């Protein structure tokens, strides 16, 4: 993120898009754009970008882009789909840039032979090919298969994934009205079964997972006791197996059931997943929340926490799967958090499937864990800490170094101090950047010297992991400090979008 000029916030952009100004510059027409034409619009004052086959005139958006003009210019006059996906796949540009739409990219009439090589395919504009065709041979072999059968009252769908370590966090099922969507995460791939069911089913259903053989069963209850001739009509994503990063986000509406104060500006929101959803957010992953603000869809990521520290891990996953707890700082001029704060108990908000690249395998056989958190960068640390303290028997020390401006900003201070008293492996160190004169603890910002003083291994060459999360600049600086201190890439995990 770069600092934006005053009057160039997201809200200002939304206002501009509603002003009736001709932002695309084509007086309301939509045109077909050839690649040659697209290439001509490659300057700051005349900049067109193609995303998934649609061409946008982003010139008026330049100053509003949170990533800065230079970042946007990297895709000037080109297909920016890849670049866009790398940086912010989740931003709903369709809604944000709809007033800038110039038209569709003109497809060259290419005669595609039956077996095109990947390199030939890449020559075509990204995002224009049906995703299924991009599957490599190896991915095809791993594609799960499914089958279904029925009894008088039940419909059972069986998915065979051939993946040995299948578990409940890897299976996400939603059944809204007659629309059933089941997603299975298999390493970096996602398999989706999506059908418009033949007949109505009850809201709740059962998901059984045979972890060792990778078999997943979805058992639906028929609403009416009738014989189904077929499972239903396949929907758009049905039976697709693609890279997770190419799968669009799927949302369901969740109810706000409580909101409690954590500090003067941070609240713990508890959202209830619908009965018709099976979803558990894995440790270290985040979800996206979506709201319509001033007529525009706005999406922001948040990292679920636990209702409080140190729950028995098994207990949490069994009994609390239906709730998503989010610890969110409300910014006085924040677009999304202000709208969130105005939600009333009982209101609904859209929450997406989880995402993120933290893997539990990173803490396997771990001996020393260091957590470097700044502000709400504490949120991913909650589940990581809970997981290692309850599940990783090799763990000797877990230390949180928590950076905040003032004492009043420290999240769950009491709980952290209690935990340190209860569990001798855990230690917490608060560091303040704007302390009052009464503060006797550590002060300052993240630096190599500060870290080297705090991060002591339990033994030489112990297996160590350092997690870091906070404002982007904090995280970047922290990673640099750790490199300077001699830690390897494998020994660090930076939480980012
Ligand atoms: P914005 O409208 O974006 O503004 C926030 C504040 O920053 C305002 O004061 C604004 O003036 C200023 N600001 C924003 N952008 C700029 C800019 N480019 N230049 C200058 N000033 C700027 N937050 C949590 O509270 N809890 C979480 O669990 C959490 N998890 C996250 C997980 C991930 C993976 C990521 C990437 C972020 C997470 N965040 C979390 C942050 C969250 O996504 C939002 O960014 C945050 O809530 C602010 O949103 P907002 O729309 O209210 O604020
Ligand atoms: P904050 O209160 O503004 O800052 C917390 C502490 O970090 C302060 O001590 C602050 O020092 C320090 N800090 C800020 N910028 C720094 C920098 N460039 N270098 C060194 N120290 C710096 O933090 P916040 O408002 O809670 O923001 C939390 C951030 O975490 C947000 O940007 C959010 O997006 C991010 N986050 C990311 C994830 C994720 O990626 N998974 C999850 C949760 C939160 P100063 O007072 O000196 O600025």
């Amino acid at each position: 993120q770069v600092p934006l000029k005053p009057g160039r916030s997201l809200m200002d952009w939304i206002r501009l898009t509603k002003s009736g100004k001709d932002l695309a510059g084509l007086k309301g027409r939509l045109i077909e754009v050839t690649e040659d034409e697209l290439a001509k619009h490659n300057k700051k004052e005349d900049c067109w970008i193609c995303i998934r086959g649609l061409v946008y005139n982003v010139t008026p958006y330049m100053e509003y882009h949170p990533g800065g003009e230079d970042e946007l210019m990297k895709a000037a006059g080109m297909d920016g789909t890849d670049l866009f996906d790398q940086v912010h796949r989740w931003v709903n540009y369709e809604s944000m840039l709809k007033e800038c739409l110039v038209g569709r990219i003109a497809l060259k009439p290419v005669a595609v032979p039956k077996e095109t090589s990947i390199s030939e395919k890449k020559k075509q504009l990204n995002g224009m090919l049906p995703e299924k065709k991009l599957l490599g041979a190896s991915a095809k072999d791993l594609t799960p298969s499914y089958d279904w059968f029925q009894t008088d009252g039940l419909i059972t769908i069986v998915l065979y994934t051939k993946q040995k370590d299948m578990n409940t966090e890897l299976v996400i099922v939603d059944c809204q009205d007659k629309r059933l969507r089941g997603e299975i995460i298999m390493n970096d791939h996602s398999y989706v079964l999506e059908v418009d069911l033949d007949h109505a089913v009850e809201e709740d259903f059962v998901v059984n997972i045979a972890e060792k053989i990778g078999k997943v069963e979805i058992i639906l209850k028929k609403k009416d006791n009738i014989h189904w001739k077929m499972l239903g009509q396949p929907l758009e994503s049905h039976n697709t197996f693609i890279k997770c990063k190419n799968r669009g986000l799927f949302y369901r509406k969740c109810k706000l059931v409580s909101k409690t104060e954590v500090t003067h500006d941070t609240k713990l929101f508890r959202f209830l997943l619908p009965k018709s959803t099976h979803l558990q957010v894995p440790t270290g992953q985040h979800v996206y929340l979506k709201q319509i603000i001033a007529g525009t869809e706005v999406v922001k990521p948040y990292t679920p926490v636990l209702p409080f520290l140190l729950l028995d891990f098994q207990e949490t996953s069994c009994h609390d799967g239906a709730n998503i707890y989010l610890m969110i700082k409300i910014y006085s001029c924040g677009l999304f958090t202000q709208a969130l704060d105005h939600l009333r108990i009982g209101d609904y908000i859209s929450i997406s499937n989880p995402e993120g690249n933290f893997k539990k395998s990173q803490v396997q056989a771990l001996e020393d864990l260091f957590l470097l958190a700044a502000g709400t960068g504490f949120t991913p640390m909650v589940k990581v800490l809970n997981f290692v303290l309850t599940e990783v028997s090799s763990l000797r020390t877990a230390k949180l170094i928590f950076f905040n401006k003032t004492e009043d900003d420290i999240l769950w201070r009491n709980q952290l101090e209690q935990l340190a008293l209860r569990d001798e492996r855990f230690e917490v160190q608060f560091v303040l950047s704007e302390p009052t004169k009464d503060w006797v603890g550590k002060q300052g910002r993240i630096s190599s010297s500060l870290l080297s003083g705090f991060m002591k291994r339990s033994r030489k060459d112990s297996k160590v992991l350092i997690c870091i999360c906070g404002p982007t600049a904090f995280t970047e600086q922290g990673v640099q400090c750790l490199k300077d201190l001699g830690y390897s890439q494998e020994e660090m995990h930076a939480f980012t979008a």
Side-chain angles (χ1 to χ4, degrees):
Q1 287 214 338
V2 298
L4 298 171
K5 289 184 196 157
R8 295 291 180 273
S9 71
L10 179 54
M11 194 63 216
D12 295 314
W13 171 250
I14 292 174
R15 276 197 206 105
L16 180 63
T17 63
K18 307 274 176 239
S19 66
K21 275 208 181 113
D22 177 16
L23 298 180
L26 290 172
K27 302 193 173 71
R29 275 180 314 135
L30 287 180
I31 58 170
E32 216 177 50
V33 185
T34 61
E35 281 181 62
D36 293 342
E37 181 63 30
L38 175 64
K40 287 182 201 157
H41 301 268
N42 62 351
K43 293 165 233 46
K44 261 190 193 161
E45 57 285 0
D46 174 19
C47 178
W48 290 8
I49 288 177
C50 175
I51 308 175
R52 263 181 263 284
L54 294 178
V55 178
Y56 298 92
N57 178 355
V58 296
T59 322
Y61 182 63
M62 282 284 165
E63 292 191 332
Y64 296 82
H65 184 232
E69 298 185 3
D70 293 345
E71 202 53 40
L72 209 54
M73 283 306 293
K74 285 187 187 159
M78 290 189 283
D79 181 15
T81 312
D82 270 350
L83 189 75
F84 182 85
D85 282 350
Q86 272 166 30
V87 188
H88 32 212
R89 190 173 83 73
W90 45 276
V91 171
N92 47 335
Y93 62 90
E94 291 102 328
S95 174
M96 209 81 89
L97 295 178
K98 60 178 182 275
E99 297 304 322
C100 300
L101 185 65
V102 169
R104 220 168 235 295
I105 194 85
L107 260 188
K108 275 196 199 140
V110 275
V112 188
K114 262 196 173 159
E115 277 308 318
T116 15
S117 72
I118 289 289
S119 62
E120 277 174 307
K121 282 174 185 170
K122 275 195 176 154
K123 279 186 205 151
Q124 297 182 39
L125 275 180
N126 187 11
M128 302 299 295
L129 280 171
E131 287 162 323
K132 259 200 266 187
K133 285 194 186 157
L134 284 169
L135 271 185
S138 59
K140 261 185 226 153
D141 301 338
L142 296 170
T143 308
S145 57
Y146 78 95
D147 201 356
W148 71 283
F149 58 87
Q150 60 187 311
T151 58
D152 283 351
L154 304 175
I155 295 286
T156 302
I157 301 162
V158 191
L159 292 127
Y160 303 94
T161 68
K162 303 168 204 145
Q163 181 165 301
K164 277 190 191 135
D165 49 357
M166 189 44 54
N167 69 59
T168 186
E169 288 180 346
L170 304 174
V171 181
I172 303 162
V173 184
D174 290 88
C175 192
Q176 294 163 356
D177 301 322
K178 279 171 62 207
R179 181 179 171 189
L180 174 76
R181 183 184 186 279
E183 178 167 358
I184 301 195
I185 307 297
M186 296 170 65
N187 299 319
D188 58 348
H189 275 71
S190 136
Y191 175 79
V192 162
L193 171 141
E194 195 181 28
V195 280
D196 185 16
L197 296 169
D198 205 26
H199 297 280
V201 291
E202 298 290 347
E203 218 187 341
D204 56 329
F205 52 80
V206 174
V207 175
N208 290 329
I209 297 163
E211 304 198 354
K212 296 225 169 71
I213 52 169
K215 190 173 90 172
V216 178
E217 266 180 7
I218 306 171
I219 306 171
L220 308 167
K221 292 179 202 149
K222 289 180 182 176
K223 250 197 180 141
D224 303 304
N225 217 332
I226 41 175
H227 186 80
W228 290 25
K229 291 210 172 62
M230 55 176 179
L231 183 61
Q233 295 293 337
L235 294 169
E236 201 189 337
S237 307
H238 180 60
N239 210 14
T240 52
F241 186 52
I242 58 174
K243 283 244 164 90
C244 292
K245 69 179 177 65
N246 295 328
R247 177 81 71 203
L249 286 173
F250 184 81
Y251 292 87
R252 74 280 303 145
K253 289 234 155 73
C254 299
K255 188 154 117 180
L256 175 63
V257 281
S258 69
K259 189 164 72 165
T260 44
E261 272 185 22
V262 177
T263 63
H264 62 103
D265 61 4
T266 303
K267 293 181 182 169
L268 186 69
F269 291 78
R270 175 154 80 100
F271 292 100
L272 191 65
L273 284 163
K275 256 196 199 164
S276 54
T277 294
H278 172 277
L279 162 71
Q280 223 170 74
V281 183
T283 298
Q285 297 206 2
H286 51 268
V287 290
Y288 294 92
L289 266 58
K290 181 166 78 178
Q291 300 183 87
I292 312 272
I293 302 177
T296 298
E297 272 188 3
V298 184
V299 176
K300 293 267 161 125
Y302 294 95
T303 315
V305 294
L306 299 167
F308 37 84
L309 274 178
L310 246 219
L311 284 171
D312 178 271
F313 210 81
Q314 294 303 337
E315 220 172 278
T316 337
S317 32
C318 297
H319 304 302
D320 216 21
N323 289 301
I324 293 189
Y325 295 89
L326 298 171
M327 193 187 271
I328 299 180
K329 177 162 170 175
I330 313 294
Y331 292 90
S332 56
C333 33
L335 180 69
F336 201 86
T337 50
Q338 280 298 322
L340 258 183
D341 200 28
H342 282 93
L343 286 182
R344 284 159 310 183
I345 304 299
D347 282 352
Y348 285 82
I349 194 163
S350 295
I351 300 189
S352 78
N353 286 2
E355 242 185 31
N357 49 18
F358 181 84
K359 301 249 165 1
K360 278 185 182 156
S361 58
Q362 289 172 263
V363 296
Q364 236 166 36
L366 192 70
E367 295 172 71
D368 298 321
L369 174 72
F370 297 105
L371 304 169
L372 315 182
T376 57
F378 171 60
T379 52
M381 310 307 181
V382 172
K383 282 198 189 183
V384 171
L385 183 60
N386 205 75
F387 180 74
V388 295
L389 288 177
T390 52
E391 301 281 295
V392 181
S393 56
S394 52
L395 189 83
R396 286 212 203 89
T397 60
K399 183 156 182 172
L400 169 69
I401 306 169
F402 197 177
F403 297 83
N404 284 282
K405 287 185 190 294
T406 70
E407 271 186 278
D408 293 343
D409 296 320
I410 303 175
L411 303 165
W412 279 357
R413 178 177 181 177
N414 201 5
Q415 291 197 45
L416 287 165
E417 286 172 340
Q418 290 293 323
L419 179 59
L421 289 175
R422 270 164 51 193
D423 192 322
E424 60 181 16
R425 295 169 300 171
F426 177 66
E427 206 184 316
V428 59
Q429 183 74 55
F430 301 115
V431 184
L432 301 182
S433 53
E434 293 174 16
T436 59
K437 56 180 182 350
D438 310 327
W439 177 248
V440 290
K442 197 78 191 164
Q443 51 179 294
R445 275 183 149 201
I446 193 164
S447 68
S448 302
S449 59
L450 186 140
L451 293 182
S452 71
F454 287 145
M455 293 170 50
K456 299 272 183 264
R457 289 174 186 253
S458 60
R459 67 174 181 89
K460 194 172 171 282
D461 301 325
S462 63
K463 185 170 182 216
V464 64
L465 181 72
I466 306 148
C467 294
I468 177 158
C469 188
T472 311
F474 166 90
T475 306
E476 284 170 1
Q477 200 177 323
V479 166
Q480 190 52 52
C481 295
L482 295 172
K483 281 186 191 154
D484 296 345
L485 290 171
Y487 290 99
S488 68
Q489 207 67 48
E490 293 72 51
E491 290 174 322
M492 319 174 195
H493 182 89
F495 288 96
T496 50

